[in-house]
Amino acid sequence: SQKIEQNSEALNIQEGKTATLTCNYTNYSPAYLQWYRQDPGRGPVFLLLIRENEKEKRKERLKVTFDTTLKQSLFHITASQPADSATYLCALEGRYGNNRLAFGKGNQVVVIP
Amino acid sequence: GAGVSQSPSNKVTEKGKDVELRCDPISGHTALYWYRQSLGQGLEFLIYFQGNSAPDKSGLPSDRFSAERTGGSVSTLTIQRTQQEDSAVYLCASSLETGQETQYFGPGTRLLVL
């Protein structure tokens, strides 16, 4: 069966350190993978997209890697700040041809001042 | 506002009643998506519209769920004879067109079925 797995335990990290989140998937061949941020009571907000032929993508303090052999993406927040505290969702496009996304359950990050 | 809007923001209803949830996508966005997020669960795809047509309804959990989109803009998700397991946050997203990967989400409608 198809699965998208993110760590269910919250990641508590000291301000200024790098937070690293993992997204593992099974029985998908995604054309691309996205990361979204979700704050309590709000809808997800798009952060980054990485395509199957890309190894790494950066945006400001964010970095995403994509390993299609390991079927894994890593999401890094460098120099983390308390404002980065949120839940981060991994989403895959499953080649349906309509950008239908399959989401992981998300991983909460808490940045401690 | 330029973002996706949804109404109502919260809805409490009794089991067996029908509810209608509304989504106003970003102006000019031709693709529209409905998802459901239950407590502790990931987002679950429900239905996708390209213009007014729904080529992919495969995510609708039962025939009590239906959706329509008119004028290539506003969409309504209707749940008939609501059940307690329908309680969730219903999220709408839009994108400029199929093939534009970024989806812009609304704030969601929190539905509680008593």
Side-chain angles (χ1 to χ4, degrees):
Chain A
S1 62
Q2 293 180 316
K3 289 183 188 177
I4 302 171
E5 295 177 304
Q6 296 186 254
N7 196 337
S8 58
E9 288 189 21
L11 177 65
N12 295 308
I13 191 161
Q14 206 69 34
E15 182 176 5
K17 300 291 187 184
T18 296
T20 298
L21 306 180
T22 304
C23 174
N24 294 300
Y25 59 91
T26 307
N27 291 328
Y28 282 97
S29 296
Y32 57 80
L33 184 150
Q34 300 185 25
W35 284 89
Y36 286 78
R37 169 183 173 142
Q38 188 171 25
D39 291 282
R42 298 188 173 239
V45 174
F46 171 78
L47 296 175
L48 279 167
L49 178 150
I50 186 164
R51 300 187 187 279
E52 59 181 335
N53 61 348
E54 297 175 316
K55 296 291 187 188
E56 182 180 297
K57 187 71 78 72
R58 292 176 184 260
K59 178 183 175 182
E60 297 173 353
R61 294 183 295 109
L62 306 179
K63 184 178 87 170
V64 170
T65 63
F66 192 12
D67 189 325
T68 55
T69 301
L70 291 178
K71 298 187 183 299
Q72 180 181 82
S73 174
L74 299 179
F75 175 82
H76 307 271
I77 308 171
T78 58
S80 58
Q81 303 169 0
D84 295 327
S85 298
T87 296
Y88 292 86
L89 307 174
C90 166
L92 307 180
E93 192 279 341
R95 297 185 189 275
Y96 298 100
N98 58 9
N99 293 348
R100 169 178 169 174
L101 293 176
F103 282 83
K105 293 182 181 181
N107 194 179
Q108 185 183 11
V109 171
V110 179
V111 181
I112 304 162
Chain B
V4 176
S5 61
Q6 293 185 246
S7 60
S9 53
N10 292 281
K11 176 72 176 179
V12 180
T13 190
E14 293 179 349
K15 178 180 170 181
K17 300 282 188 185
D18 297 351
V19 295
E20 281 191 356
L21 312 180
R22 176 186 167 112
C23 172
D24 280 276
I26 294 172
S27 177
H29 280 197
T30 59
L32 186 147
Y33 306 81
W34 284 98
Y35 296 88
R36 177 169 73 173
Q37 188 172 34
S38 303
L39 194 62
Q41 300 298 313
L43 275 75
E44 173 191 3
F45 170 84
L46 298 178
I47 189 170
Y48 149 74
F49 286 91
Q50 177 57 39
N52 290 336
S53 65
D56 188 352
K57 303 180 183 179
S58 61
L60 294 176
S62 76
D63 58 9
R64 295 186 295 105
F65 287 71
S66 63
E68 64 175 15
R69 189 179 185 196
T70 55
S73 181
V74 171
S75 176
T76 302
L77 178 69
T78 301
I79 310 173
Q80 295 178 309
R81 304 181 303 282
T82 52
Q83 302 294 311
Q84 289 181 331
E85 61 262 28
D86 299 335
S87 298
V89 177
Y90 289 82
L91 289 157
C92 173
S94 70
S95 65
L96 190 58
E97 60 186 32
T98 307
Q100 296 296 316
E101 301 93 350
T102 301
Q103 294 187 17
Y104 298 86
F105 282 82
T109 292
R110 283 146 198 81
L111 175 65
L112 177 61
V113 182
L114 300 176

